[in-house]
Amino acid sequence: MAPPVTRLSVNLNKAALMRNARGGGRPDVAHLARLCVGAGAAGVTLHPRPDGRHARAADVEALAALVAESPAELNVEGNPLEGPRTTAGYDFPGFMALVRRVRPTQATLVPDAQGQRTSDHGWDLDRDAGRLAPIVGELRALGCRVSLFVDPEPETVAAAAALGADRVELYTGPYAWAAARGEPGPETERHRRAADAARRSGLTLNAGHDLDLDNLGPYLAAVPGVAEVSIGQALLADALERGLARTVRDYLAVIAAARPA
């Protein structure tokens, strides 16, 4: 029996960043989400940071209302330890307060520090497991699927399972950079081992960061069992040339063509 095709969630943070640079409502993040879902994306992702530089609480609420009317999923990423904060007139309610309000399909917990430009490492579960355990339990009680953003290390994957997470999202940045250098082998092997640990631990596997039309297919062909990829920067950059709906379909075509080794 063939494994299910990997699902695509489109991260729209960079669209919100463009809007915020000029103010007003263009581009309309909710409208772009509708285009993505209409083109076949299984869901949309937002990562609202406390400084409000791109996706904001209102965007999360708008997309939650959108997906409630469709089979699409909403994935909200962020650091659950971030509380309320006001920056330049933007009131961030705190990650957990926002998630309690909208109850997204999936909450992906990411260890970003305040002001961090982008996610660049996974959780240190030797240090953070005690703080995360009650949060994971609360999110699951709210009906949210819980994914932990982790580096591709088997021990960390097993620790995520012990915390009660439903999924892990493997951080694919170093893989993407190695693939760009023409040397993906060692990073690909790290991800294979992490994927095997996820399977043994009963975790579903997500992946994301710096995946694009060139490196996505080889990654999915080499790393078994990836249920979902979350892609934003590269997909939106491609959409400037190809158009958004066509770009979503192009990524879906790459996903459909990938066959695990």
Side-chain angles (χ1 to χ4, degrees), residues 2 10 17-18 30 34 74 86 116 184 205 209 221:
V10 179
L17 179 68
M18 182 185 295
R34 290 187 189 93
L74 173 60
T86 298
Q116 188 171 324
L205 191 65
H209 213 283

Coordinates of all heavy atoms in Angstrom, one line a residue, residues 2 10 17-18 30 34 74 86 116 184 205 209 221:
A2 N 0.6 2.1 -1.0 CA 1.4 3.4 -1.1 C 1.2 4.3 0.1 O 0.1 4.4 0.6 CB 1.1 4.1 -2.4
V10 N 0.8 26.3 3.4 CA 1.5 27.5 2.8 C 1.6 28.6 4.0 O 0.6 29.0 4.5 CB 0.7 28.1 1.7 CG1 1.4 29.4 1.2 CG2 0.6 27.1 0.5
L17 N 4.2 40.6 6.0 CA 5.3 41.5 6.1 C 5.2 42.6 5.1 O 5.4 43.7 5.3 CB 6.6 40.7 6.0 CG 7.9 41.5 6.1 CD1 8.1 42.0 7.5 CD2 9.1 40.6 5.7
M18 N 4.9 42.2 3.8 CA 4.7 43.2 2.8 C 3.6 44.2 3.1 O 3.8 45.4 2.9 CB 4.4 42.4 1.4 CG 4.3 43.4 0.2 SD 3.9 42.5 -1.3 CE 5.3 41.4 -1.5
A30 N -6.0 37.0 4.1 CA -7.1 36.0 4.0 C -7.4 35.7 2.6 O -7.7 34.5 2.3 CB -8.3 36.6 4.7
R34 N -7.3 32.0 0.7 CA -8.3 31.3 -0.1 C -7.8 30.9 -1.5 O -8.1 29.8 -1.9 CB -9.5 32.3 -0.3 CG -10.3 32.6 0.9 CD -11.5 33.5 0.5 NE -12.2 34.0 1.8 CZ -11.9 35.1 2.3 NH1 -11.0 36.0 1.8 NH2 -12.5 35.5 3.4
L74 N -5.6 25.1 9.7 CA -4.8 26.2 10.1 C -3.7 25.7 11.1 O -4.0 25.1 12.1 CB -5.7 27.2 10.8 CG -4.9 28.4 11.5 CD1 -4.2 29.2 10.4 CD2 -5.9 29.3 12.2
T86 N 3.4 44.7 24.0 CA 3.0 45.8 23.1 C 4.3 46.4 22.5 O 5.2 46.8 23.1 CB 2.3 46.9 23.9 OG1 1.1 46.4 24.4 CG2 1.9 48.1 22.9
Q116 N 14.0 37.4 17.1 CA 14.7 36.5 16.3 C 14.2 36.6 14.8 O 13.0 36.7 14.6 CB 14.5 35.1 16.8 CG 15.4 34.0 16.0 CD 15.3 32.7 16.7 OE1 15.3 32.6 18.0 NE2 15.3 31.6 16.0
P184 N 24.0 17.2 -0.1 CA 22.9 16.9 0.8 C 23.0 15.7 1.6 O 22.3 15.5 2.6 CB 21.7 16.9 -0.1 CG 22.3 16.3 -1.4 CD 23.6 16.9 -1.5
L205 N 5.2 12.9 11.2 CA 6.3 13.7 10.8 C 5.9 14.9 9.9 O 5.3 14.7 8.9 CB 7.3 12.8 10.1 CG 8.7 13.3 9.9 CD1 9.5 13.6 11.2 CD2 9.5 12.4 9.0
H209 N 11.3 24.6 6.5 CA 12.3 25.7 6.5 C 13.2 25.6 5.3 O 14.0 24.6 5.2 CB 13.1 25.7 7.8 CG 13.4 27.1 8.2 ND1 14.4 27.9 7.6 CD2 12.9 28.0 9.1 CE1 14.5 29.1 8.1 NE2 13.5 29.2 9.1
A221 N 11.7 12.2 -1.4 CA 12.1 10.9 -1.9 C 13.0 10.1 -1.0 O 13.0 8.9 -0.9 CB 12.7 11.0 -3.3

